[in-house]
Amino acid sequence: MTNDTEASSHQDSAEAHVAPGAPPVPSSSQPEPAFPSTDPDTVKVQRPPTPGSAIPVGLGSSRTSVNLGSGGARPAAATPSARRPGRGPRRASLQVKRVDPWSVLKLALVLGVALFFVWLVAVGVLYGVLHGMGVWDKINSTANDLLQANEPGEPLISAGRVFGVSAIIGAVNIVLFTALATVGAFVYNVSADLAGGLELTLSERE
């Protein structure tokens, strides 16, 4: 009985005089952790002390490991476009205060050139359809009879004349369209400063 008591007192004094900062010696009776410490989702939190138990000096507070992952995957963050259920699409009211004249000039020039080619294609299609119906031949014969009764001359309506006049009209339209769009941008800026710009309401798709 005396030997057993002395052995237990020596063991308690050895546990009480552990060097400060030394890690606690794991006991064989403690179960192995469910998650390895190398897992990135495993963090260490402070374990609350048991009431009535004394903490050895120099061992500090006890810590335990907690795994925050679910099945080895982190929870996906909510996407910014997700809306709360039961709410309609978000709307934003904006006001156009100023239009850049230089950007309007460039855009009007590009649109004018595109419309120029569309105009030539439309004239070509119309000329081909009327030529197939024989309209131009009748007009040319009538004009030849009225203007030059004896000598047949150059026809009044031909492909060269039609496309030449159409190209001149298209070029004039490009200049006028670009100039009017640029002047309109200046006029809009002045009007927006006086009376306010156009109000726009933007909304998300439902």
Side-chain angles (χ1 to χ4, degrees), residues 6 9 13 28 30 37-38 42 46 51 53 55 59 77 81 98 108 121 124 144 146 157 166 172 174 192 202 206:
E6 291 178 357
S9 61
S13 61
S28 60
Q30 293 181 356
S37 59
T38 59
T42 303
Q46 184 177 359
S53 61
I55 301 176
L59 292 181
S81 60
R98 184 179 182 277
V121 171
N144 190 21
L146 294 176
I157 299 176
S166 301
V172 173
I174 291 176
L202 305 179
E206 298 182 359

Side-chain angles (χ1 to χ4, degrees), residues 164-190:
V165 174
S166 301
I168 294 174
I169 295 175
V172 173
N173 287 334
I174 291 176
V175 176
L176 292 178
F177 181 74
T178 305
L180 290 178
T182 307
V183 173
F186 282 105
V187 173
Y188 176 82
N189 292 336
V190 175

Side-chain angles (χ1 to χ4, degrees), residues 117-144:
F117 289 104
V118 173
W119 161 253
L120 290 181
V121 171
V123 169
V125 172
L126 182 60
Y127 177 83
V129 171
L130 295 178
H131 180 72
M133 296 173 61
V135 176
W136 304 130
D137 295 336
K138 293 181 180 180
I139 294 176
N140 290 332
S141 62
T142 303
N144 190 21

